[in-house]
């Protein structure tokens, strides 16, 4: 157990928080529920952004930027949307402060806005109001726009990265001529998210659809990817919504189709956020610190020299410079930690805490023998290897680590996904071995709500390509045609 | 003159606005003073971000993210800072809306914040409050952090890109152990900005320091780069501030120095914003549309096929595919516009309006002759060139265009920078041939203010490495040791 980090078996929630603070990823700010993303945490976000942005562009999307503030009246135009967000939004009412004469800085009541402005909790309303001016004919469609932005939802119970009042995200907002095209877009973006989660985050996810209860406020259908954390709780890692014509109707966005008939435009929206960093930490890390998959690690390889005399360090430095050149050419990031203010042991602990996938230690004997010591963060194994061919060895090992982290998480999920057929068994599993529970449900919101009230478990999703089978709802015994995935969730 | 764009000689301000709207860069939003940056405009911002971010990282900086909202009390801790920003800030007072029972969505008065929050107009206060926890000893210094973010300043008179209530920017905030080190950082970042302006934006800039009147609220010294627009008005394109110990004192940020003595930390901050896009447009464009320097052009080369029959297009396509491959390997962006819904002439006009640096047109005769027609946006010249070696030719031409655009702007600035020695001449030049005016000033704020009140001209900067010479203030006749740069400004 690393200094200052509690064991995850002892207190998972505290472990998660400690890990973030100690590894210098983020901290709380004096502003309620808002966090400060420190450079180490932010560099992971930059990696996430870089990879996703490329995937969005490869699928034909472009970026744009819409205003932070949304007039209250816009916000209210889509009924279920305002219902979903009104209870947690930051409201701007004034546009000036003043000195009250006694030296106190106060709100200037003469600078009251005619209409209050809401800090965007999501941008469907301002964007669809804008699209009205962009779309006249089917020739203007599709519009495939994404935005990287900050959003604000006033949360009462917050947790670093997982649930903060302000968070960073991307929100795609697309406009289409037909429902089929919009649904295909919704599904495509879900697959982009799943691909990213599995191949970059090393996080296996279940692709599925939300029940009506759990849908996005204003959507006809919400697709999601769901992952299982090490404490057996589920985490929604990304959502992609088919919005039908709801926002087009609310903002009067019509187009002339190929048959020269006016129709409302079809919409999708989809987003992932800094929450992904929370998922990344929760799913792979251990009591010694973060375990980062190489593809998202800000530092992939760290080199720690072990020496007594300057000339030993000079020798090691010459070797490391050449290794650095070789690795950079392979697009592998390497850090040479030659600080003389810290001992090797302290450095080892620091990079373990920070989840650096590979550590290279080189001492004088290594230099004589033409070897180095290689330590893997994921398996905590060490080996002595030849300096010759080290670059290629590191490259191969990073790929192996990426795969291994994924497989470990996959195995964990498999071991913690069970089918149950009775409500007793359902409740027992939730308490004794929490995880994904695949069970029959009668398809009603009432049953879903009752199960939630009684057990805190929710239907995470109806998996895509779900097997159809006859069964009986675990709560009501009513007939069911498929199992759905339950879990307690973040 | 392009359709819908007024001539810049007729109405420069309207020309600027028309150009932005017609070239699909941006538009106003329904939220006062806030703009929507459309995909074409945003892709220029992405280019700017990419280049600057690399320059920041190459000089040792890392990115982080701090909260959007700042408690009012923080904001007030540095006296001149709050003075500078209080009059134009958006204030959050509530955190919930509710249905008032009649179906109206209203602010929930029960959800009033104990302390109002300000949407950041700049982040010195929240960042220095945070640095207090990060800095104990000289070993924790320097801190070299940058943030890419949106900020809000409630502007009464707005103009797309140049002055909007919300804008995108980066703000660097560094902390140092000594004044010298902080000053060196301030100067280094000014040089980064100047380098970027000249080498990417093709915009010659004067490096200088602001007078006390024009300094950033809370700075001891403000360095700036100033550029001259085509209407003879100056535009401040970037600023770098030496903040001394002002914010460290306001937020009690002390450290133990090498001599084991406690001292306040020294600070800098520096920023550029989406205003740069305004400068880019204003300095190079003409009545036919944008003129973009190749290094920041979202599309560097566009290919327009001219054909009647499908097999002609097939032939052209084969050639363009091979050219595309060659250019992409050189990191040159190319777009093949094979839309059959638009005629070549319409496409020509569109890319001229959008400022694409090079246009390649290929017809059937070209295919027979092994030639293409190459048209430069900057000089509006065309030439017929061989298909063989076209990739290398394009690469060389793009460099030439980049240089030419810079030189044209440089020549314009030289021709519009004059030395004057009397106030009469000063006022005459401002009216008859506006530009930079280099003149003697007695060094007092009163004189500066009087000149501003009478002529609307301000001291843009005291150029770095300014020649020292005896002279008399144009207004008061009092002695002066150097000329300073005046202009009317955006």
């Amino acid at each position: 157990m690393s200094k200052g980090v509690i064991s995850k078996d002892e207190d998972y929630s505290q472990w998660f928080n400690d890990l973030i603070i100690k590894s210098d990823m983020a901290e709380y700010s004096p502003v309620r529920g808002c966090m400060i993303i420190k450079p180490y945490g932010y560099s992971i976000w930059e990696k996430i952004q870089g990879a996703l942005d490329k995937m969005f562009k490869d699928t034909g999307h472009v970026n744009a930027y819409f205003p932070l503030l949304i007039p209250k009246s816009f916000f209210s135009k889509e009924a279920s949307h305002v219902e979903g967000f009104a209870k947690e939004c930051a409201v701007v009412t004034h546009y000036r402060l003043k000195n009250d004469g006694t030296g106190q800085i106060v709100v200037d009541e003469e600078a009251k806005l005619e209409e209050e402005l809401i800090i965007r909790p999501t941008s469907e309303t301002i964007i669809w109001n804008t699209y009205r001016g962009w779309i006249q004919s089917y020739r203007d469609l599709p519009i495939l726009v994404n935005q990287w932005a900050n959003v604000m939802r006033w949360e009462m119970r917050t947790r670093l990265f997982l649930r903060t009042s302000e968070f960073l995200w991307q929100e795609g907002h697309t406009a289409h001529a037909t429902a089929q095209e919009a649904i295909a877009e919704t599904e495509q973006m879900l697959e982009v998210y799943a691909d990213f989660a599995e191949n970059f985050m090393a996080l296996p996810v279940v692709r599925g659809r939300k029940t009506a209860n759990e849908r996005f406020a204003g959507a006809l259908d919400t697709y999601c990817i769901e992952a299982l954390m090490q404490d057996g709780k589920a985490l929604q890692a990304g959502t992609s919504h088919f919005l039908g014509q709801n926002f087009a109707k609310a903002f009067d966005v019509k187009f002339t189709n190929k048959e020269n008939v006016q129709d409302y435009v079809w919409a999708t929206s989809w987003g992932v956020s800094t929450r992904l960093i929370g998922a990344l930490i929760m799913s792979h890390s251990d009591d010694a610190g973060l375990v980062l998959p190489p593809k998202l690690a800000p530092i992939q390889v760290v080199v720690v020299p072990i020496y007594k005399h300057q000339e030993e360090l000079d020798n090691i430095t010459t070797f490391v410079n050449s290794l650095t050149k070789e690795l950079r050419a392979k697009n592998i990031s390497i850090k040479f930690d030659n600080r003389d203010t810290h001992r090797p042991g302290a450095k080892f602990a620091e990079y373990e805490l920070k989840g650096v996938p590979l550590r290279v230690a080189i001492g004088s004997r290594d230099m004589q023998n033409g070897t180095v010591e290689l330590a893997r963060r994921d398996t905590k194994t060490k080996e002595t290897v030849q300096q010759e061919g080290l670059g290629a060895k590191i490259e191969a090992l990073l790929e192996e680590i990426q795969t291994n982290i994924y497989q470990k998480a996959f195995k964990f999920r498999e071991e913690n996904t069970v089918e149950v057929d009775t409500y007793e068994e359902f409740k027992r599993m939730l308490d004794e071995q929490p995880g994904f529970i695949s069970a029959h449900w009668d398809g009603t919101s009432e049953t879903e709500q009752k199960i939630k009230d009684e057990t805190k478990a929710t239907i995470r999703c109806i998996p895509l390509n779900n097997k159809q089978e006859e069964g009986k709802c675990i709560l009501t015994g009513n007939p069911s045609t498929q199992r759905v995935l339950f879990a307690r969730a973040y």
Side-chain angles (χ1 to χ4, degrees), chain A residues 236-430:
Chain A
Q236 174 181 299
T239 47
S240 183
H241 314 292
F242 171 56
L243 304 172
Q245 295 172 312
N246 286 350
F247 286 91
K249 285 178 181 164
F251 290 92
D252 195 30
V253 188
K254 289 180 189 164
F255 75 110
T256 309
N257 68 18
K258 283 188 182 169
E259 287 73 41
N260 212 26
V261 176
Q262 288 253 310
D263 193 7
Y264 287 106
V265 178
W266 298 86
T268 85
S269 69
W270 29 275
V272 295
S273 73
T274 34
R275 179 167 232 231
L276 288 181
I277 298 177
L280 191 70
I281 298 167
M282 278 207 165
S283 47
H284 306 310
S285 303
D286 60 28
D287 287 352
L290 301 175
V291 174
L292 297 176
K295 284 193 191 171
L296 296 178
I299 306 166
Q300 294 174 309
V301 182
V302 66
V303 183
V304 177
I306 299 162
Y307 64 97
K308 288 204 183 96
H309 307 293
Q310 183 61 38
E311 69 251 47
E312 291 172 295
L313 179 60
D314 292 344
N315 258 335
I316 295 170
T317 302
T318 306
F319 170 73
V320 175
N321 286 345
S322 130
L323 179 66
T324 300
K325 208 172 152 189
E326 185 183 354
L327 292 186
R328 293 229 166 112
K330 292 176 193 285
N331 258 324
I332 294 170
S333 61
I334 173 171
K335 175 176 174 176
F336 181 34
D337 185 351
N338 56 3
R339 287 177 298 171
D340 58 8
T341 45
H342 293 67
R343 302 164 69 93
K347 294 178 183 177
F348 288 5
E350 180 181 337
Y351 297 110
E352 193 168 47
L353 186 58
K354 291 200 162 186
V356 176
L358 270 181
R359 182 187 78 215
V360 178
I362 317 180
S364 293
R365 183 157 309 166
D366 285 314
M367 288 307 290
Q368 284 160 26
N369 296 344
T371 57
V372 303
E373 185 194 77
L374 256 182
R376 277 173 69 157
R377 177 64 184 90
D378 62 330
T379 54
K380 294 193 162 189
T381 52
K382 292 187 223 173
E383 57 175 329
T384 298
V385 303
Q386 295 299 310
Q387 291 181 358
E388 175 136 9
L390 183 59
K393 170 89 182 176
I394 285 173
E395 189 178 23
L397 262 181
L398 288 173
E399 279 181 35
E400 196 180 315
I401 293 169
Q402 181 81 28
T403 306
N404 180 56
I405 294 178
Y406 175 81
Q407 280 172 345
K408 194 175 160 201
F410 186 80
K411 185 159 169 276
F412 175 83
R413 190 188 73 183
E414 292 298 290
E415 288 171 358
N416 290 281
T417 302
V418 293
E419 292 193 351
V420 309
D421 292 314
T422 70
Y423 198 44
E424 286 315 301
E425 180 71 359
F426 182 85
K427 287 188 282 190
R428 194 179 65 77
M429 287 305 293
L430 278 177

Side-chain angles (χ1 to χ4, degrees), chain A residues 220-234:
Chain A
L220 294 193
D221 208 347
T222 287
Y223 291 68
C224 61
I225 52 173
E226 294 283 329
L228 195 62
M229 303 295 102
Q230 289 181 81
D231 63 347
K233 281 169 94 169

